[in-house]
Amino acid sequence: MAFQKINNKDDQIYYTISDVSELAFKNVYLYKDTVHLLKFSEQFHSRKFEIEPFILLEKIFKDLKNDYGIKFNENSPEVAIQKQLLSILKE
């Protein structure tokens, strides 16, 4: 993963990565639908329920139920990262 360090003395932000960062970044696409829904929902009134955001939400729920079609290879180090990202989305 990636880590952020803020140095207030020199007003700098530093980023470091770990040995699994590449695997994690490769799976960031899993957040695409959720981020799209958040941006899309901004255009609707907060007290009025519109159908469009719920249609997008339904698609996300179906994709999550099917783990976004991921075929897990239990021998791959990527499996733990994929399952962690999916569990965050399912919270």
Side-chain angles (χ1 to χ4, degrees), residues 55-81:
I55 292 170
L56 289 174
L57 186 59
E58 181 182 31
K59 179 190 178 306
I60 291 170
F61 286 155
K62 286 179 181 178
D63 288 340
L64 282 171
K65 185 176 181 180
N66 297 316
D67 292 329
Y68 277 87
I70 295 172
K71 305 287 189 248
F72 296 107
N73 176 357
E74 296 299 330
N75 297 325
S76 169
E78 190 172 10
V79 169
I81 292 171

Side-chain angles (χ1 to χ4, degrees), residues 35-46:
V35 171
H36 173 68
L37 174 62
L38 289 169
K39 290 180 180 179
F40 181 75
S41 297
E42 290 175 355
Q43 65 181 320
F44 296 99
H45 191 281
S46 61

